[in-house]
Each structure stands twice: as structure tokens, then as C-alpha cells.
Amino acid sequence: MNPETEDTQDTAWLHATARGERAAFARLYRRHQPRLMRFLWRFVSRPELAEEIVNDTMWLVWTRAHAFRGDAKVRTWITGIAYRCMLRALRDGPPQAEVNASSLDDFSFDALPGPPGRDTALETRDWLSHGLAALPHEQRVTLELAYYLGETCEDIAAIMACPVGTVKARLFHARVRLRNTLPALGGEPAGPAGGESKHG
Amino acid sequence: MADSTKPPASDPSEHRRAWDAIPWVVAGSAAMPDVDLVMHHLPHCASCREELEFQQRLHRGLRDAATPEANPEPGLQRLMARIDAANTEPMPAAPRTPNPVRWLAAAVVVQAVGLAAAGLAMWGHGREGEFRTLSTPEVARVASLRLVPAAGMDFAALRSLLADLKLDIVDAAPDGSSLGLAPADGQAATAQAALPQLRAHAGVRMAEPTGHGPR
């Protein structure tokens, strides 16, 4: 669906939600829950926790739909709420809910079925799991939002409540770090601090 | 291989902007001017071509690692049940499941009602109440224990637990993240006895002594 059409529809459903129309809210849920689940599964080790975060997110959408000001797309607004709910869950939750290399290795990549008969894809995922696990949390979230959800730089700034420049800097550092740790993808050591400092 | 972050001598500014724009072009979220910039720059910049290829592999790797599709219906049903339950309560906007700030606010209301009732009772008993000070246990108490409720704990269950353990809520953290508890009988032994039971309870994420309160 055209992104503008989708946002127009989302906005109409959100306004209807603010009036207490459950059918519209259910449509919003069905549209955004799968996307949020996929995103959250990348950061939490338990699927049930991911669903709990999604439902906390959508609960806030239900109760605060009237507070949407239209400064961003509805999708961005909802993703921003999910991001904050995830941060809270990771901060307050039990250790197994936290982002760590083992959860990424065990769940997000290795445990998931890849395209059949593609050893290179499996190898790539293995390298990626190690490379992504080495990234600081904010850099990893930035990369996932950009590459996995396809969010724009401006939308990522809105989701993570930071300036656009910060998003660019985080992505830059993530790229440099991944090139140092992912030679299997064709990366090469880009030099330690010198390469990063050029682009701040 | 060349250092991909190193600007070529020809046009450092264009190289830098192109290099920065590559991930957004790869992800398909770049603005058209950035797409044009990268497309114009690539033919004469080997390091950016290499970077583009690297980012494309990274992008494919992330997309290939996509997580399984989840059926939204069970989650939607659970959320709707939560909304239905909330609608049956006095505060329709309040979640049924734990929202620390909301149910701590409810706790404060309950506590205020209790304090008001206690004040009225004291007033009804004549002048004797006038000699009580704020340091007396019945009026203001210092928290002996600090409790952080678990996600599944609702306010009714919390009240029941605290009543069983003879504990009162005497304060709450400003951000609503924890509660201060004091023994209802003012005895330190009551708090000490309650601590292991609180820690063992599934609805309690953390319970710790504050080092204050009755000794």
C-alpha cells in the first residue's frame, strides 16, 4: 500500500479510536502488531515479552489516541511508543529480557528458519549475529529501524526522540564498527578511531 | 581495499554526502536528491561502490533474518479483554494490568481516605488527639521496606498481601516505581518477618529494607 494512503487510513482509524470506536482500534492493531512484534523480537529473548510490550504499546494508543498531534506519521508515533515501552521492559525486566549476544545468537538468527538450501545465508546470519551483538544498543536500534523497518532518518529521530544528527552519527558509527567485525560480508578493518572521527 | 570512509581527492564534499546517504538509498527510504547524488557519485568512486555493496549485503542479511509472522488475533483478544475489564472499573482509562503510576495513584487515594478516617476518629475521641505529634507511629511513619511490584501485580492483590503481612503503604517514589512500607503495628519484627515473604511472592519484583523505620 502507498505509504501516504496507509497513513491517511491510520490517521482516520486513530481519530476513530479516540472516539472509542473499537473496530477502528482493532484495525490499527492488526496492521501494526505484526510489524512491532517482528521488530521487538530482535531485542527481547521471549516472544511472550514481545507481545506484552506490543499490548502495552497499543494500550497507550487506545488510552492516548486523543493526544496524537499529527507531528509525525501514525506509524512513527506508534513505533516511538513501542520503543519506549521496550526500553522500560529491558530496564525493569528480568535478565532474560535484556539484549545480549546469546539471545541474538540463539533466537533472532540461528533459531529462525532461513531460506532453504542457502548455506551462505546461514553463514551471513551467523556473522551478522556477532556483528550486531557487538553494537551499542542505540546503534543497533538505529540500524534495525533503518534496514529492517525501513524508517527514514527523520522518522527514526522521532521514534528515538533524538536529533536527526544523532541518528546519522549512530548509523555512521554502526557502519564503521560493522566493517571492522564483518569481513565475511566484504567488510574490512576501517581503522580504529581515526575513521570514525572523520564523520563524527 | 580502499578505506571506504576516506574522501577521494576529486570532490570530498560529494563523497562525504554520498557515503552518508548510501544506507538510506539501500533501505529505500532516501529522498530523491540523495538517490540522485549517490547515483551520480558511484561511477567514479570505487570506495562508495564497495560501501554500497557492503550495505546491500548487510541489508539482505537483516531482511533474511526476518522473524516469523505472528497472528495478531490472540494478542488483540487479550488486549480487548483488558480494555473491557478497565471499563468495568471506576476509572475507565486505567489499565487493569499494572501501570505503576496509575495504581500508585490509587494507593495514594486509598491511603488518603484512610488517613482522613483516622483523623476523624481521633477528632471524635476528644482532646487526646491534640497531643499526638507527626513522629508518632499512627500519623506518619518512616518506610521500613521498599517494594517494587512485578508486572502482573494488581492493586487489589497488593492490598491483600500487605494486609496479610500487616504492612501499610506509607510513601511512594516520585516516579511511581516503588512503594515505602511500614509495619502496621510499628514493630520492627513485623517488617523483618514480612521481608522474606514479600521476596518469595510472585507479584513482587523486589523488596529491600530501607534501613529506617522502627527498630
Side-chain angles (χ1 to χ4, degrees):
Chain A
M1 180 182 291
N2 180 312
E4 288 182 6
T5 306
E6 180 177 317
D7 190 50
T8 302
Q9 211 168 41
D10 278 350
T11 303
W13 289 344
L14 189 64
H15 287 157
T17 297
R19 296 191 298 271
E21 293 182 22
R22 292 182 180 217
F25 176 68
R27 291 189 187 100
L28 266 183
Y29 187 98
R30 291 188 182 102
R31 170 170 290 171
H32 293 282
Q33 189 262 14
R35 184 176 62 86
L36 294 177
M37 283 292 285
R38 289 197 302 273
F39 175 65
L40 292 168
W41 263 334
R42 310 293 285 257
F43 296 96
V44 301
S45 55
R46 292 182 291 124
E48 62 270 25
L49 177 60
E51 186 190 286
E52 186 179 320
I53 296 170
V54 170
N55 274 15
D56 284 347
T57 300
M58 295 307 292
W59 170 267
L60 289 170
V61 170
W62 169 257
T63 56
R64 300 183 186 176
H66 63 278
F68 176 72
R69 298 190 305 268
D71 298 337
K73 294 193 288 285
V74 171
R75 159 196 171 107
T76 304
W77 185 67
I78 293 175
T79 308
I81 295 173
Y83 173 64
R84 287 186 288 279
C85 287
M86 179 183 77
L87 288 184
R88 176 180 293 182
L90 294 176
R91 184 190 63 203
D92 298 343
Q96 64 267 32
E98 296 176 357
V99 175
N100 54 57
S102 62
S103 72
L104 291 170
D105 288 345
D106 296 343
F107 185 79
S108 296
F109 294 97
D110 294 346
L112 295 172
R118 291 183 59 189
D119 292 342
T120 51
L122 289 173
E123 191 175 320
T124 299
R125 279 188 287 158
D126 186 49
W127 278 104
L128 265 179
S129 69
H130 291 290
L132 292 175
L135 293 180
H137 180 70
E138 287 164 338
Q139 291 179 19
R140 182 179 146 95
V141 172
T142 303
L143 190 71
E144 297 272 9
L145 286 169
Y147 275 3
Y148 191 61
L149 291 190
E151 302 289 353
T152 65
C153 184
E154 291 73 19
D155 286 346
I156 294 173
I159 289 166
M160 300 182 78
C162 65
V164 166
T166 302
V167 174
K168 291 179 177 176
R170 286 172 179 166
L171 189 61
F172 172 82
H173 290 296
R175 292 167 67 186
V176 171
R177 192 179 290 245
L178 286 173
R179 286 189 70 88
N180 283 328
T181 54
L182 295 176
L185 287 183
E188 61 172 336
E196 296 190 21
S197 62
K198 288 176 187 173
H199 292 265
Chain B
M1 283 186 285
D3 180 348
S4 64
T5 66
K6 185 179 179 182
S10 57
D11 188 347
S13 169
E14 181 184 285
H15 173 79
R16 167 64 186 268
R17 287 184 288 119
W19 197 88
D20 284 345
I22 283 174
W24 311 106
V25 172
V26 169
S29 58
M32 275 315 293
D34 285 341
V35 176
D36 292 341
L37 170 70
V38 171
M39 293 302 108
H40 174 263
H41 179 74
L42 282 177
H44 54 85
C45 181
S47 65
C48 278
R49 287 198 300 274
E50 182 194 328
E51 174 66 11
L52 178 74
E53 188 179 346
F54 177 75
Q55 293 302 322
Q56 286 173 333
R57 289 178 183 172
L58 181 60
H59 183 247
R60 276 197 302 271
L62 282 170
R63 304 288 294 193
D64 286 348
T67 49
E69 290 292 330
N71 177 8
E73 294 307 318
L76 177 59
Q77 288 174 15
R78 278 188 279 277
L79 182 55
M80 285 303 192
R82 179 174 165 183
I83 290 169
D84 286 338
N87 280 341
T88 64
E89 294 172 0
M91 294 173 61
R96 183 187 182 200
T97 50
N99 179 329
V101 173
R102 289 180 185 275
W103 65 252
L104 280 176
V108 169
V109 170
V110 170
Q111 197 72 3
V113 171
L115 288 172
L120 286 172
M122 289 170 58
W123 187 47
H125 280 84
R127 297 178 60 83
E128 185 182 359
E130 293 179 15
F131 296 96
R132 294 191 181 277
T133 70
L134 289 176
S135 62
T136 55
E138 291 80 358
V139 177
R141 286 168 289 161
V142 177
S144 303
L145 304 173
R146 183 67 53 191
L147 179 144
V148 178
M153 189 68 152
D154 64 29
F155 184 57
L158 177 67
R159 278 196 305 176
S160 172
L161 173 65
L162 297 183
D164 291 346
L165 298 177
K166 298 182 173 53
L167 295 173
D168 290 336
I169 300 170
V170 295
D171 67 42
D175 63 358
S177 59
S178 67
L179 294 172
L181 308 177
D185 56 10
Q187 300 298 312
T190 302
Q192 289 167 3
L195 186 57
Q197 297 183 63
L198 286 174
R199 286 173 171 169
H201 195 280
V204 176
R205 174 167 290 160
M206 188 183 75
E208 295 293 335
T210 62
H212 304 294
R215 297 177 184 275

